């Protein structure tokens, strides 16, 4: 638990917060085909997610964008996707 808290603190300091509204999320699903083209996160429409939002990780690295939003989860198309 302590390690998770430390990781969350680092992630919340990704970018200048005055310029962006950041929302922490966890990966709850991955591409079933094993191609690494998409993942599912535990934040959805009820948490303010919308299609087209960028998805970043620690260090401000862009990894994909939200392509489908459900009430409590969202699908993220990764940069590795052929599209």
């Amino acid at each position: 638990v302590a390690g998770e808290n430390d990781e969350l603190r680092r992630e919340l300091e990704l970018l200048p917060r005055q310029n962006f509204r950041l929302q922490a999320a966890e990966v709850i699903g991955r591409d079933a085909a094993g191609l690494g083209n998409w993942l599912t996160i535990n934040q959805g429409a009820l948490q303010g997610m919308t299609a087209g939002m960028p998805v970043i990780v620690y260090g401000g690295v862009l990894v994909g964008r939200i392509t489908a939003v459900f009430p409590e989860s969202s699908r993220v198309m990764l940069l590795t996707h052929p599209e």
Side-chain angles (χ1 to χ4, degrees):
V1 175
E4 290 177 12
N5 287 341
D6 291 340
E7 180 69 19
L8 182 57
R9 283 188 190 98
R10 282 193 301 275
E11 289 178 8
L12 289 175
E13 296 301 323
L14 289 173
L15 296 169
R17 294 182 68 141
Q18 66 274 16
N19 297 332
F20 301 96
R21 188 183 136 250
L22 302 177
Q23 178 74 28
E26 291 183 30
V27 174
I28 59 171
R30 298 184 188 275
D31 187 348
L35 300 175
N37 291 326
W38 62 266
L39 51 85
T40 303
I41 59 172
N42 69 340
Q43 301 292 308
L46 295 174
Q47 292 79 30
M49 301 298 107
T50 59
M53 285 181 147
V55 177
I56 60 174
V57 295
Y58 182 72
V61 176
L62 178 71
V63 294
R65 66 181 170 88
I66 295 176
T67 57
V69 180
F70 308 100
E72 295 187 4
S73 64
S74 297
R75 176 161 291 167
V76 177
M77 182 186 303
L78 299 174
L79 292 177
T80 56
H81 192 283
E83 280 186 29

